[in-house]
Amino acid sequence: MLTIFSEKHTLRDAKTELYGGELVSPFECPVRAEYILEQLKSEKLGEIIAPDEFGLDPITRIHDSDFLMFLENCWSAWQAEGFKGEAIPTVWPARGMQQQRIPNHIEGKMGYYALAGETSISDGTWQAARASANVALTAQAAIKNGANEAFALCRPPGHHAAGDMYGGYCFINNAAIAAQAFIDQGASRVAILDVDFHHGNGTQSIFYNRADVMFCSLHGDPKDAFPHFLGYADETGNGEGEGFNYNYPLGPGANFQAWGTALDDACKKIKAYGPDALLISLGVDTFERDPISFFKLISDDFTRYGATIGALKLPTLFIMEGGYAVEEIGINAVNVLQGYEDL
């Protein structure tokens, strides 16, 4: 399996995350990608190459241009105000407040564009997010050019990023821009299967009104898990998108039996949909020892569900999302890829 990886991911090296009322070292950290890279090399899974540069055009097919300008300039604007720490939002356009006017001050802009407050922005964040998007687009191009599968080792992740919102460690929605690239290049239908513990709220919101991209997500019940305000089972799409969005919220302690049953149903829907390509938002934070999740999958389960995905016999693009048990992240991510290949 071809892997795309950029050394520029290290430019995203924030030192603070708001968690449990404290500023802590971020769970989403550079070593995550390094552990996966080491495991890929150890298992000799295939060639590892650097991404090509695609510019902003494919990103603006998904994201608002003013939002992208905000991401690019946020850190310098924050510094210009004389703030000493990393950029963290402190105010939001809450219910009942005017939400359509974008403030001039960076504090207000951050609240306008942020969906959550845990994710700080620091020097290098924009550059790393751009590189992560290029990783996804390079892997997409490989499949478009004839490869049956590819792994985009993206960091930072992307599935929480909406068209004009960041948060949940995500800035640019890598899966969404890759799916849109397939459509723009002639695909009639694309499916996205999100197996990250957390609901892919950004991906859902981007394609919620569309029938040409099906979205299926297995995740912690939003009553109990981030992002809390999206990901319920009755969210099935809107307008032309009605019937093309499927959520499988699962409660605390869900093991592979429950999770795998949901996966089987999602795969049946994907097979019936008949997409030209399948994208997997590959989060391995469903692991039993993940520090910010509550599912109970073990390492062998990742191999098992990789085979389930492989059985669909579709051109498949794996895009790395979450997973915060860093010592096992490489094993679990590569297990999925090996299970897919060994079918």
Side-chain angles (χ1 to χ4, degrees):
M1 181 178 296
L2 176 68
T3 293
I4 318 300
F5 171 75
S6 173
E7 296 285 354
K8 289 184 179 180
H9 83 89
T10 59
L11 297 173
R12 169 63 185 167
D13 192 14
K15 304 303 181 186
T16 51
E17 173 180 336
L18 183 59
Y19 178 77
E22 299 179 295
L23 290 177
V24 302
S25 296
F27 292 100
E28 203 295 290
C29 54
V31 72
R32 297 175 62 249
E34 302 300 335
Y35 273 115
I36 298 170
L37 191 66
E38 288 177 10
Q39 188 70 9
L40 287 167
K41 293 177 178 178
S42 174
E43 295 297 321
K44 299 180 173 60
L45 199 63
E47 185 180 10
I48 302 170
I49 66 171
D52 296 324
E53 170 60 52
F54 288 83
L56 279 177
D57 286 349
I59 301 175
T60 58
R61 295 286 290 130
I62 293 297
H63 291 288
D64 176 76
S65 58
D66 287 340
F67 168 66
L68 295 174
M69 186 178 300
F70 156 78
L71 289 178
E72 182 176 8
N73 297 310
C74 175
W75 178 241
S76 59
W78 184 263
Q79 287 186 304
E81 289 296 328
F83 296 136
K84 302 303 182 184
E86 294 180 322
I88 298 176
T90 57
V91 62
W92 284 267
R95 294 188 305 275
M97 297 174 67
Q98 169 60 259
Q99 298 187 31
Q100 302 306 313
R101 300 179 187 177
I102 304 175
N104 291 328
H105 195 279
I106 188 58
E107 180 183 48
K109 282 185 176 179
M110 291 200 72
Y112 183 85
Y113 287 119
L115 65 92
E118 80 294 296
T119 302
S120 62
I121 291 178
S122 57
D123 189 26
T125 295
W126 167 249
Q127 292 82 356
R130 281 287 315 278
S132 192
N134 283 328
V135 167
L137 287 165
T138 303
Q140 182 274 331
I143 291 178
K144 173 64 178 175
N145 291 331
N148 191 63
E149 67 273 333
F151 175 41
L153 179 42
C154 292
R155 184 184 170 269
H159 72 150
H160 292 307
D164 63 353
M165 289 189 295
Y166 78 96
Y169 315 140
C170 302
F171 305 95
I172 295 173
N173 195 310
N174 303 309
I177 63 170
Q180 186 63 50
F182 277 120
I183 296 295
D184 289 344
Q185 294 163 20
S188 60
R189 289 184 166 193
V190 173
I192 301 174
L193 174 61
D194 192 323
V195 294
D196 190 280
F197 170 80
H198 302 93
H199 178 249
N201 60 285
T203 312
Q204 173 174 305
S205 66
I206 287 166
F207 296 116
Y208 201 63
N209 299 314
R210 291 171 55 171
D212 57 350
V213 179
M214 173 183 278
F215 179 65
C216 299
S217 178
L218 287 63
H219 52 268
D221 193 318
K223 294 193 298 292
D224 300 302
F226 182 93
H228 295 295
F229 302 107
L230 213 60
Y232 291 89
D234 60 1
E235 297 161 9
T236 57
N238 185 54
E240 292 183 2
E242 177 63 43
F244 297 100
N245 192 93
Y246 296 97
N247 287 321
Y248 299 85
L250 300 169
N255 60 15
F256 186 72
Q257 182 177 0
W259 192 92
T261 298
L263 177 66
D264 288 342
D265 189 74
C267 287
K268 288 178 183 177
K269 288 180 168 59
I270 290 168
K271 185 175 182 179
Y273 182 63
D276 298 306
L278 172 63
L279 285 78
I280 308 296
S281 274
L282 180 58
V284 294
D285 43 1
T286 50
F287 182 57
E288 62 179 347
R289 290 195 290 276
D290 194 277
I292 56 173
S293 308
F294 55 60
F295 287 170
K296 299 301 179 183
L297 274 65
I298 63 174
S299 291
D300 286 347
D301 293 333
F302 293 91
T303 307
R304 294 167 63 188
Y305 85 66
T308 300
I309 294 169
L312 289 169
K313 301 295 184 183
L314 291 167
T316 303
L317 170 53
F318 293 90
I319 296 180
M320 196 66 211
E321 302 285 3
Y324 310 103
V326 293
E327 292 185 3
E328 294 92 353
I329 188 173
I331 294 169
N332 294 334
V334 173
N335 276 2
V336 177
L337 304 180
Q338 289 180 316
Y340 174 91
E341 286 204 323
D342 291 346
L343 178 71

